[in-house]
Amino acid sequence: MSRERTRILVVDDEEIVRESLSAWLEKDGYTLAASPDGESAIRRVDAERWSILLIDLKMPGIDGLQVLEHVRKVQPDAAAVIMTAYATVDSAVAAMKLGAYDYLVKPFDPEEMSMMIQKIVTQQALVRENVLLRKVLKREYRFRDLLSKSPVMQRVFDLARTAARSQSTILILGESGTGKELLARAIHLESPRSGGPFVAVSCAALTETLLESELFGHERGAFTGAVTRRKGKFEMAHEGTLFLDEIGDISAKLQLDLLRVLEDRRFSRVGGNEPIAVDVRIIAATNRDLQKAVADQIFREDLYYRLNVIPIQIPPLRERREDIPLLADHLLEQLSAEMHKPVDRISAEAMRLLMAHPWSGNVRELRNVLERAMVVLSGEVIQPGDLGLPSAPSTVPPGDVMVSLEEVERRHIAAVLQETAGNISQAARVLSIDRATLYSKIRRYGLRRDGDEAPMGHAEVRQDESQG
């Protein structure tokens, strides 16, 4: 930011201080304004954006600490410097606790003041650059509303972009909470049908009768309570995309009805005989193993092949742990804006806990954990206790306290290897060491990739290392 764009507000009840400070800093090229008291300063903070505020501590009415407290709530990115001629330890501590950048005792050297302001401006520029780089990084890893730096997810994004340009039916497979509907919406928005509607139906949320009416609509008098004709989701999605979530949960009758629509692109409303033609692109999703359901004769084989034209498998979060910091940072920004609660970051200890968690609920669970942390935290940095997650399991069995530090490390590495199913890259990330160091420790402690003891040779590890 140029010096002219750095806006500084001087808040002091002494006119000579306001004028001298303004004159000094205007010579340095900054944009200056002044307020004679706390009340007028608060009005200006509410109405205008400021880069830096120089605030006198002792003022009649609203004092400097009250102004500082208001600034931290309204403009947390602004740097506030407290000035006073009556320095005490208590007032300095109070100012710093409220978030003051620094504390200056009058009279002060103009050159010292200039150096401090330049330091603040430089730091603010670095923060803005960091924010910008993070946004650029996210765009690089983004597919619409999805975010990932995992190579396997980048392949998912590439396949989804290619599939979006076609008219083919897509089947999205993945555990609950992996973002199947988000991917379906992204495909729709990347497709030639993006100008049409995107209509989503949860097939697991309704009974057979209600789902049939929801999908195909009904005529007046078709059943008790059907007092008017109603369009179904197929009609509502005409010239757009119909997303059928949890398709593996539909009944045998609806499987047959859906198969006919996919084959003919025609259907009749419940209680009606008139065929209705639709132009709809189907994207289905499920967390079930449809191949097994077909083998168990629970799901129609012909419908499975109609749906499974372009299958896209979304891996669970535990198989792409490198995404956890990126997703956590992104979700934290979202939650901070939604909840109007500024949160600076996640501590390193809390991030290690997030990296070690199994995430059976995937990204949805991660968001819930971070939302919980936002509600309970008292500061601006999320700590392990805010997450509400169980601590990482101890690698020392109860009653076995008197062991060496090396033995504790060996057991911990073995536990992490077991938790990550022998994935060396994931284990190294959880342990905050590089792969080479992890390989060295595995050999040193006589472990296999799965965390068990290797009776001899460690050939499996050496072969993997040579390929890695």
Side-chain angles (χ1 to χ4, degrees), residues 228-264:
T228 60
R229 171 187 282 184
R230 183 187 177 206
K231 286 184 176 182
K233 300 297 188 183
F234 269 96
E235 286 180 86
M236 293 167 63
H238 183 62
E239 296 185 340
T241 302
L242 178 62
F243 175 61
L244 301 174
D245 196 12
E246 305 305 347
I247 193 70
D249 291 55
I250 64 174
S251 67
K253 178 184 182 302
L254 280 176
Q255 288 178 38
L256 179 58
D257 291 342
L258 183 56
L259 177 65
R260 288 172 178 160
V261 178
L262 290 174
E263 289 176 341
D264 303 334

Side-chain angles (χ1 to χ4, degrees), residues 260-420:
R260 288 172 178 160
V261 178
L262 290 174
E263 289 176 341
D264 303 334
R265 300 291 161 172
R266 292 174 181 272
F267 66 94
S268 298
R269 297 191 188 102
V270 177
N273 297 311
E274 178 187 350
I276 300 167
V278 288
D279 173 20
V280 172
R281 202 263 185 89
I282 301 293
I283 301 178
T286 182
N287 59 9
R288 294 180 180 272
D289 184 344
L290 286 190
Q291 286 185 315
K292 184 177 185 301
V294 168
D296 295 341
Q297 298 185 340
I298 298 170
F299 199 84
R300 293 183 65 100
E301 185 176 21
D302 45 6
L303 177 58
Y304 171 70
Y305 287 117
R306 279 284 180 182
L307 294 171
N308 195 41
V309 179
I310 303 178
I312 300 177
Q313 178 81 46
I314 303 181
L317 188 56
R318 63 183 171 276
E319 292 180 8
R320 47 188 178 99
R321 292 182 184 270
E322 63 266 43
D323 282 344
I324 291 173
L326 189 68
L327 289 167
D329 179 57
H330 173 65
L331 292 169
L332 202 61
E333 283 185 14
Q334 281 187 341
L335 291 165
S336 182
E338 289 172 14
M339 301 171 72
H340 306 290
K341 190 171 184 179
V343 176
D344 185 50
R345 60 187 171 85
I346 301 170
S347 72
E349 294 80 9
M351 185 61 75
R352 277 195 285 272
L353 201 56
L354 293 178
M355 291 290 287
H357 191 68
W359 299 116
S360 57
N362 294 290
V363 182
R364 185 182 297 128
E365 183 187 2
L366 175 60
R367 191 186 197 282
N368 290 346
V369 165
L370 291 175
E371 184 173 350
R372 187 254 188 206
M374 292 280 291
V375 171
V376 303
L377 68 78
S378 56
E380 293 186 353
V381 177
I382 291 179
Q383 301 294 345
D386 300 323
L387 297 171
L389 294 175
S391 300
S394 172
T395 56
V396 180
D400 191 11
V401 179
M402 300 300 290
V403 295
S404 68
L405 188 59
E406 281 194 354
E407 178 62 16
V408 172
E409 182 179 61
R410 187 192 71 80
R411 293 178 184 180
H412 184 59
I413 290 172
V416 171
L417 287 169
Q418 289 170 358
E419 180 67 28
T420 58

